């Protein structure tokens, strides 16, 4: 049997590489930085571990399995990118700590108006920005009750918030949440929320789901937090809700469009706080360790003929 060629663009140290290769010791491994990966390397790979550009994969005729270092998979699901028999898996579950802590910190800081005081500091203005709020008194509605949403819920609950989760299908309520609902209950939940938090992925069902109608139904003076995908939000509708004062603030690590272009009004809104889609990268070292460990575990499973983790359903699979 011909040796499997495995292209790895996930950054790994020596110990992590050794653990990875133990899963399929007879394979041929190529380690490359994502910035310098070559088309020929992609074309020759039987297995790719990491997010090589989708445009390169489109030209790969022998790819059996693509394992992404991201939780999202949007560009790779487009028609014509992957052959219908190519297995696609993600690193869902690796980013919960990093993303939840980042977005929770943003919400907590906005409650205390720390972003405004930072602006005042830069302007060298000694200003009292007035009343603040406490997580203890908050009802938080979280869209997306998976790994990231669950970890965010634990943080909010630990600070005394009442947490309501929203997911696509019914199921048991996790310990980190006080209630769990489906999307059918959204209209009645929105007016209850002091903060609406989204970790929704980008799908045909979720694109533009947070629009004027949603923002209008939210409580006066509430917050909107998005750590999921930018295109789940109608950005202009959000800007209108912020400019009118209906929403007290928005904390965003993702935007639509992305990157947010210079001159966009979202940059200059005093009650908007934007970070450049960095909450889930490798800035927290534990995230890289999680990604590397998941890749090694899935490769071991692949070599043993076992069921892979985080398989994205597609085609005839």
């Amino acid at each position: 049997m011909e040796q499997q060629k495995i292209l790895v663009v996930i950054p790994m140290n020596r110990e992590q590489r050794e653990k990875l290769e133990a899963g399929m010791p007879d394979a041929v491994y190529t380690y490359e930085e994502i910035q310098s990966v070559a088309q020929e390397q992609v074309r020759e790979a039987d297995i790719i571990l990491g997010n090589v550009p989708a445009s390169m994969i489109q030209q790969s005729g022998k790819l059996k399995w693509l394992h992404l270092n991201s939780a999202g998979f949007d560009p790779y699901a487009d028609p014509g990118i992957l052959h219908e028999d190519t297995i696609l898996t993600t690193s869902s579950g690796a980013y919960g700590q990093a993303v939840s802590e980042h977005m929770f910190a943003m919400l907590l800081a906005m409650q205390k108006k720390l972003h405004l005081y930072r602006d005042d500091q830069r302007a060298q203005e000694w200003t009292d920005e007035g009343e603040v709020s406490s997580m203890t008194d908050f009802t938080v509605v979280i869209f997306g009750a998976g790994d990231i949403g669950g970890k965010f819920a634990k943080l909010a609950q630990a600070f005394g918030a009442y947490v309501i989760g929203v997911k696509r299908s019914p199921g048991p309520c996790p310990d980190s949440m006080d209630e769990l609902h489906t999307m059918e209950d959204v209209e009645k939940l929105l007016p209850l929320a002091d903060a609406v938090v989204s970790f929704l992925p980008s799908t045909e069902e979720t694109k533009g789901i947070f629009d004027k109608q949603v923002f209008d139904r939210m409580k006066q003076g509430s917050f909107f937090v998005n750590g999921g995908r930018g295109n789940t939000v109608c950005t202009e509708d959000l800007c209108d809700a912020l400019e009118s004062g209906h929403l007290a603030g928005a904390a965003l690590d993702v935007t639509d469009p992305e990157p947010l272009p210079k001159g966009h009004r979202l940059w200059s809104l005093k009650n908007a706080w934007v970070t450049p889609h960095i909450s889930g990268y490798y800035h927290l070292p534990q995230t890289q360790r999680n990604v590397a460990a998941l890749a090694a575990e899935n490769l071991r499973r692949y070599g043993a003929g076992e069921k892979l983790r985080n398989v994205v359903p597609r085609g005839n699979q």
Side-chain angles (χ1 to χ4, degrees):
M1 182 178 177
E2 185 179 352
Q3 284 182 304
Q4 298 284 296
K5 295 181 179 180
I6 302 178
L7 173 62
V8 184
V9 296
I10 299 172
M12 294 187 180
N13 58 32
R14 185 174 66 179
E15 181 181 348
Q16 290 168 338
R17 291 184 182 189
E18 290 175 354
K19 184 175 182 180
L20 180 76
E21 293 175 15
M24 287 184 64
D26 296 329
V28 177
Y29 292 83
T30 299
Y31 295 91
E32 190 63 76
E33 293 184 4
I34 188 64
Q35 297 87 349
S36 54
V37 67
Q39 181 66 69
E40 187 64 22
Q41 293 173 313
V42 175
R43 187 181 293 114
E44 291 299 315
D46 298 290
I47 297 170
I48 297 176
L49 305 179
N51 292 35
V52 301
S55 58
M56 285 188 170
I57 294 177
Q58 191 172 10
Q59 301 178 42
S60 175
K62 59 182 294 191
L63 185 62
K64 298 182 180 70
W65 170 37
L66 170 64
H67 176 78
L68 302 176
N69 55 261
S70 62
F73 55 86
D74 312 2
Y76 305 92
D78 289 342
I81 300 299
L82 294 177
H83 188 274
E84 62 179 10
D85 293 328
T86 301
I87 301 169
L88 177 63
T89 58
T90 73
S91 291
S92 178
Y95 296 89
Q97 181 182 357
V99 177
S100 64
E101 288 182 355
H102 182 96
M103 302 314 301
F104 187 76
M106 290 184 79
L107 174 57
L108 199 63
M110 291 198 83
Q111 283 186 300
K112 304 304 180 184
K113 299 185 176 178
L114 301 187
H115 60 305
L116 301 184
Y117 287 111
R118 178 68 178 190
D119 292 344
D120 294 339
Q121 178 186 338
R122 287 175 172 168
Q124 300 183 40
E125 295 179 355
W126 192 271
T127 304
D128 187 331
E129 294 291 350
E131 185 177 289
V132 298
S133 55
S134 170
M135 193 66 67
T136 305
D137 305 320
F138 260 39
T139 295
V140 178
V141 175
I142 302 174
F143 286 78
D147 178 59
I148 300 174
K151 285 185 170 60
F152 187 99
K154 284 184 179 180
L155 292 170
Q157 229 180 28
F159 273 68
Y162 188 85
V163 181
I164 301 172
V166 180
K167 60 183 297 188
R168 285 178 297 178
S169 54
C173 183
D175 293 340
S176 60
M177 296 178 180
D178 298 287
E179 299 179 26
L180 185 64
H181 294 257
T182 63
M183 297 296 288
E184 295 177 354
D185 297 329
V186 168
E187 286 194 7
K188 70 178 183 182
L189 294 175
L190 289 172
L192 304 177
D194 296 290
V196 170
V197 182
S198 174
F199 297 111
L200 292 178
S202 175
T203 67
E204 288 304 315
E205 292 75 24
T206 63
K207 287 179 181 177
I209 192 172
F210 296 104
D211 58 8
K212 183 180 187 302
Q213 184 176 357
V214 167
F215 297 131
D216 285 349
R217 290 192 66 83
M218 286 174 61
K219 183 187 294 187
Q220 174 74 32
S222 58
F223 292 89
F224 178 73
V225 178
N226 190 12
R229 285 294 179 266
N231 66 3
T232 62
V233 178
C234 294
T235 304
E236 298 307 316
D237 290 350
L238 175 60
C239 289
D240 290 343
L242 291 168
E243 283 188 337
S244 71
H246 179 68
L247 296 184
L252 313 170
D253 186 51
V254 290
T255 61
D256 185 30
E258 190 173 298
L260 192 65
K262 289 184 177 180
H264 196 287
R265 61 172 169 155
L266 194 56
W267 284 120
S268 57
L269 290 176
K270 191 175 182 180
N271 52 350
W273 195 1
V274 180
T275 55
H277 203 156
I278 44 75
S279 65
Y281 194 56
Y282 299 140
H283 297 94
L284 182 68
Q286 183 59 45
T287 301
Q288 185 276 333
R289 293 192 287 269
N290 292 344
V291 169
L294 180 55
E297 170 62 13
N298 251 1
L299 187 64
R300 184 200 65 75
R301 293 187 181 207
Y302 186 88
E306 300 175 5
K307 182 179 179 180
L308 300 180
R309 291 178 58 184
N310 299 337
V311 175
V312 178
R314 47 185 306 276
N316 58 2
Q317 297 173 17

